[in-house]
Amino acid sequence: MSTSEFPVRNNWQIDEITQLFEQPFNDLLFQAQQCHRQNFDANEVQVSTLLNIKTGACPEDCSYCSQSVRYDSGLEREKLMDVDAVVAAARQAQADGASRFCMGAAWRSPRDRDLDVVVKMVEEVAALGMETCVTAGMLTDRQAERLERAGLDYYNHNLDTSPEFYGEVITTRTYEDRLETLGHARDAGLKVCSGGILGMGEARKDRAGLLAQLANLPQHPQSVPINMLVPVAGTPLGDADPLDPLEFVRTVAVARIMMPKAYVRLSAGRESMSDELQSLCFLAGANSIFYGDKLLTTANASADHDQELFRRLGIRPSQVAEGKVALTA
Ligand code: SAM
Ligand code: DTB
Ligand code: SF4
């Protein structure tokens, strides 16, 4: 089988994506695994650790989010962390085996004086030899360029769902706004991390629509986080009906086939997934995870448990990019 069977394309149509989804499960997983093996070491998983550098009091109304000021999730707001505390957390994450450190901030968009601090964080975390990622809301072109000059590797900004379903979830910023920020990050030379959330009550056509948006960007995101909704009490989606886990696996598989060279990240929601479900996601082509006991504000699968799962599956944490330091794992 030649690699051309899974070409990098930017012209995906909803009908053909739906056909991918509708295949028998085994056929879909076989295809995804073939695509995965043609592009990656099938037994390597990239490991990132998250830190929320600024918590809560966000003006946006994202219906899933514990950090929106509009919902009472019981979360205590916290101001932007000190640079030293962030660097200490990054050092710890590196010692624990993470190759990338992702800093998240509950902002609609950063003020320039906040960005000054984030720039320092990026410079110092990059100096440790770790890959860096920031997610801090909408960016102007100049802000993206500043982050790139600071040594930032990835900017995370999710499309979350299809354009059609988006208005059911968020009303305070548009889909266009999100695409614009992705453009600013891409044009500044940052690697783009963009994906979405499943289990928000969307239909399969919305999952297909999300993947179409991501894959039809001028360049595929280098990293595609697929989050399973973590229902947070007090938010509008706090009691959303859970998604069929096999539909989650199908979505991972279709993402793998549509974006053959992207890292597909099995992101939020792992804490409530069985080992067997996570294993199916790896088989479907997921090859990146968030590692560490906490995501941004909610619990993650524990580091001990993940190490044991990797051992049972024979999975190795992937080495970091050239020029970065690889530590233990
Ligand atoms: N405030 C910035 C923004 O929204 O662009 C950055 C932080 S925000 C929390 C990062 C992403 O986390 C969101 O875009 C969303 O996809 C994901 N996320 C937030 N809450 C979630 C939840 N309860 N379950 C799953 N994913 C969630
Ligand atoms: C992404 O797609 N998922 C991460 C990261 N990017 C920033 C965040 C998940 C957040 C889960 C809910 C929480 O912990 O607040
Ligand atoms: Fe704010 Fe980001 Fe949460 Fe939306 S997802 S409410 S922008 S922190």
Side-chain angles (χ1 to χ4, degrees):
M1 182 169 294
S2 72
T3 38
S4 62
E5 206 168 323
F6 301 106
V8 171
R9 290 173 45 195
N10 304 78
N11 60 351
W12 288 91
Q13 304 294 315
I14 293 293
D15 281 357
E16 56 181 332
I17 305 170
T18 304
Q19 280 169 21
L20 285 176
F21 266 99
E22 284 175 354
Q23 294 178 86
F25 188 80
N26 288 347
D27 291 346
L28 174 59
L29 255 70
F30 182 62
Q31 216 182 324
Q33 179 64 202
Q34 280 179 312
C35 174
H36 191 48
R37 282 170 184 270
Q38 287 173 11
N39 291 285
F40 291 98
D41 179 329
N43 300 308
E44 274 192 7
V45 168
Q46 187 278 330
V47 171
S48 298
T49 291
L50 275 171
L51 177 69
N52 213 21
I53 59 171
K54 188 267 170 183
T55 301
C58 180
E60 302 291 281
D61 70 352
C62 311
S63 302
Y64 46 77
C65 189
S66 62
Q67 305 199 72
S68 167
V69 76
R70 300 170 191 240
Y71 316 128
D72 185 9
S73 66
L75 190 72
E76 292 283 332
R77 61 168 73 180
E78 286 166 37
K79 62 179 179 33
L80 182 59
M81 286 175 70
D82 290 336
V83 176
D84 288 352
V86 172
V87 176
R91 249 183 232 288
Q92 185 60 52
Q94 188 180 37
D96 292 341
S99 60
R100 188 177 310 157
F101 194 64
C102 307
M103 294 161 268
W107 289 321
R108 170 178 167 79
S109 52
R111 294 175 299 189
D112 282 336
R113 69 165 190 262
D114 292 325
L115 203 73
D116 295 343
V117 182
V118 176
V119 159
K120 285 207 191 74
M121 292 171 181
V122 169
E123 285 168 349
E124 295 203 20
V125 174
L128 300 176
M130 293 188 92
E131 290 182 321
T132 51
C133 177
V134 165
T135 181
M138 295 184 285
L139 289 187
T140 65
D141 48 357
R142 296 194 46 195
Q143 290 178 322
E145 287 158 13
R146 276 195 73 192
L147 288 169
E148 197 277 333
R149 282 198 302 276
L152 183 67
D153 295 302
Y154 290 81
Y155 195 74
N156 166 249
H157 197 66
N158 290 338
L159 293 178
D160 279 351
T161 189
S162 68
E164 295 76 21
F165 191 68
Y166 183 84
E168 304 285 317
V169 183
I170 298 140
T171 69
T172 48
R173 71 164 72 133
T174 65
Y175 213 82
E176 248 338 284
D177 290 333
R178 291 189 183 242
L179 292 169
E180 194 177 277
T181 290
L182 293 183
H184 291 156
R186 195 170 52 239
D187 292 348
L190 293 167
K191 295 193 186 99
V192 167
C193 172
S194 187
I197 309 180
L198 311 186
M200 299 192 295
E202 78 285 347
R204 179 178 274 179
K205 67 176 179 343
D206 298 306
R207 294 184 278 277
L210 165 69
L211 296 180
Q213 288 290 325
L214 293 167
N216 292 343
L217 289 168
Q219 236 189 307
H220 290 176
Q222 283 84 355
S223 161
V224 179
I226 308 288
N227 296 278
M228 179 77 108
L229 175 74
V230 179
V232 176
T235 64
L237 287 170
D239 56 3
D241 289 337
L243 179 70
D244 172 4
L246 294 182
E247 179 69 8
F248 186 90
V249 179
R250 280 182 187 270
T251 311
V252 169
V254 175
R256 163 53 60 228
I257 293 164
M258 290 174 66
M259 292 171 277
K261 295 186 186 301
Y263 279 83
V264 175
R265 180 170 305 114
L266 174 54
S267 305
R270 287 197 306 114
E271 202 226 358
S272 61
M273 291 180 192
S274 67
D275 290 347
E276 293 77 11
L277 175 56
Q278 293 188 60
S279 305
L280 276 178
C281 291
F282 294 132
L283 195 64
N287 60 346
S288 171
I289 60 163
F290 288 122
Y291 174 73
D293 297 351
K294 205 169 162 199
L295 292 165
L296 292 175
T297 67
T298 65
N300 193 18
S302 79
D304 287 351
H305 193 98
D306 284 345
Q307 278 174 11
E308 176 64 3
L309 180 60
F310 275 22
R311 192 192 60 74
R312 289 167 68 208
L313 297 178
I315 284 178
R316 300 176 304 274
S318 59
Q319 296 303 300
V320 299
E322 217 174 301
K324 309 276 175 177
V325 182
L327 275 191
T328 58

